[in-house]
Amino acid sequence: MADEGKRPFQSQIDAANEGQLSMSFSTDVRVNAEEFVYMDRDCAAMKDRIRVYQGIAEGIADREVWGLGETPETWPLSGKVLVKRFRDKAMGDESGNSVHAILERHYQIIDGIQELHRVIAQRYLDTDSEFASRYNEIMASAPQGFQGQR
């Protein structure tokens, strides 16, 4: 999917920008402007939702009082250990296995998918007037936010 240190789908995005990305379809498959518009909109909505969840993880990590016996003068010591584990799982896990870090990886993947679809759509817009007309019409009237089932 992605080389280490590269953003997800970067090689496909680069290939699409250079006009080197190609797909083979049967004659039954048609390029659908609606799919490109909705893919962009849904990716944006998913990225927004991920940022909300990351904010929740940050709130968990930053919470000062848990009421689990985590203060230095309380006993048993397990309260401090439990609170540290919650904070680490929310945001501070050294292994990258925290909720915040995992959500960031999901965000980057969705961002790559969205960018790839934008580049492909732009190439269609530049070369297919029928596609461009339909795409612009849908973009002007499409509802915003995720429209799928919850």
Side-chain angles (χ1 to χ4, degrees):
M1 178 172 45
D3 296 334
E4 192 65 34
K6 264 181 118 173
R7 98 185 234 203
F9 298 98
Q10 189 60 54
S11 59
Q12 291 89 349
I13 293 167
D14 293 343
N17 273 321
E18 296 165 8
Q20 300 300 314
L21 187 66
S22 64
M23 307 286 271
S24 296
F25 297 110
S26 73
T27 56
D28 298 336
V29 176
R30 294 188 43 118
V31 176
N32 186 332
E34 290 89 349
E35 297 292 333
F36 282 92
V37 171
Y38 297 143
M39 177 66 80
D40 187 66
R41 182 210 49 210
D42 290 348
C43 283
M46 289 175 74
K47 288 172 20 182
D48 290 344
R49 182 55 49 195
I50 286 172
R51 291 297 187 226
V52 168
Y53 294 147
Q54 284 180 313
I56 293 169
E58 289 170 17
I60 291 169
D62 294 341
R63 184 176 179 150
E64 291 196 30
V65 178
W66 288 74
L68 298 173
E70 71 274 10
T71 59
E73 62 277 348
T74 58
W75 187 89
L77 299 177
S78 60
K80 286 184 254 184
V81 172
L82 186 59
V83 167
K84 181 178 178 346
R85 286 189 183 159
F86 285 154
R87 287 186 175 136
D88 286 349
K89 274 298 167 197
M91 235 178 121
D93 189 292
E94 301 285 326
S95 71
N97 195 27
S98 68
V99 170
H100 195 278
I102 292 167
L103 287 170
E104 185 60 30
R105 289 193 295 274
H106 289 315
Y107 184 96
Q108 295 304 320
I109 291 167
I110 294 165
D111 189 58
I113 292 169
Q114 183 180 32
E115 179 64 20
L116 179 59
H117 277 81
R118 283 181 177 168
V119 169
I120 295 169
Q122 187 60 52
R123 293 197 64 85
Y124 279 115
L125 288 166
D126 293 344
T127 59
D128 184 336
S129 60
E130 185 179 327
F131 177 89
S133 175
R134 182 70 180 137
Y135 181 89
N136 291 328
E137 175 187 329
I138 297 165
M139 280 297 275
S141 63
Q144 294 304 303
F146 184 68
Q147 302 297 310
Q149 292 181 331
R150 293 185 184 231

